[in-house]
Amino acid sequence: MISRGERAANYIILSLFAAFALYPVVVILAAALGPADSGAGTGADSGGTAGLANFAAAWEIGRFGSYLRTSLAVSVFVVVVSVVLSIMSGYAFGTMRFRGRSLLFYLFMLGIMMPSEAVAVPLYFDLRSLGLIDTFWSISLPQVALSVAFGTFWMRAYFLASNRAIVEAARIDGASSWRILWQVLLPAARPAVVTLTVLVFMWTWNEFLIPLIMVTSESLRTAPLGLAFFQGQYTSGFTLLAAGSVIVATPVVIFYLFLQRHFVRGLLQGAVRE
């Protein structure tokens, strides 16, 4: 049993870690809500804006509306396709026996072990030969491939730990493999699926290298990429840059808070385990 002193020490340590993690967030928010500095740049009043007016100025000057729409479209596409493919491939690797199963699974794992920086240049030339450079697909398809690798590992681990008795009972009743997946196993897998959805959404939304290499059109810039261009092209001041950073980060925070309960439940259930 934990003593009162140990519990107090735990709370103190956790509070220190929380303060350490939240300090940069508080600094950025304070800067975004403070008075505009002298480096505000084009179209911004160097000393007259403060508070929420900084967000309006950053939104207008930095054209974040277009960037957020692109990021949202890419993230939704990548999440939907990746999660569906991961569920099906994880189910196959976790419940079925077929020739070459282990070899094919480890081939999937190369997608986790191989960083995107190592394949970015070859991938660029492959997509250019297909005529996909500077298109929506050049941003989305590579991220689908990267996400499916982890998603397969994640869902395979869950299906390996699933209740075999339920699966066998469904098979005895005449249920097909497709029906067992979608009507028997998947409803109970909601925490694992939601956790995977949140992770893929955050990774896709924050991806910077692939959009930087694959697109040149301003209309196809994602929010993180647009923020980088906003820093050097439209403003050299910290206030509007902080406001732009808050604008870019807000959708991820909202998405996480909305699904936080299921996300934590999926982690506590140990969705990734062998």
Side-chain angles (χ1 to χ4, degrees), residues 24-35:
V25 178
V26 175
V27 171
I28 293 297
L29 286 175
L33 294 172

Side-chain angles (χ1 to χ4, degrees), residues 171-200:
R171 287 175 177 168
I172 292 175
D173 290 339
S176 63
S177 297
W178 189 261
R179 185 175 180 182
I180 291 174
L181 170 61
W182 298 107
Q183 297 185 12
V184 177
L185 293 178
L186 193 60
R190 184 171 63 177
V193 174
V194 171
T195 302
L196 177 62
T197 300
V198 173
L199 291 174
V200 173

Side-chain angles (χ1 to χ4, degrees), residues 53-71:
N54 291 329
F55 294 98
W59 180 277
E60 180 180 357
I61 298 172
R63 304 174 184 175
F64 283 105
S66 173
Y67 303 151
L68 291 176
R69 284 194 298 270
T70 301
S71 285

Side-chain angles (χ1 to χ4, degrees), residues 113-148:
M113 296 181 287
M114 188 73 67
S116 59
E117 293 82 358
V119 298
V121 175
L123 185 61
Y124 172 85
F125 287 103
D126 289 339
L127 292 177
R128 190 180 69 172
S129 65
L130 296 174
L132 296 179
I133 291 298
D134 201 25
T135 65
F136 174 85
W137 307 110
S138 65
I139 310 175
S140 304
L141 294 181
Q143 296 187 73
V144 168
L146 294 172
S147 300
V148 167

Side-chain angles (χ1 to χ4, degrees), residues 75-97:
S75 299
V76 170
F77 177 82
V78 173
V79 166
V80 172
V81 176
S82 300
V83 171
V84 172
L85 293 178
S86 298
I87 290 172
M88 293 190 292
S89 59
Y91 173 70
F93 285 116
T95 63
M96 300 179 181
R97 301 293 181 266

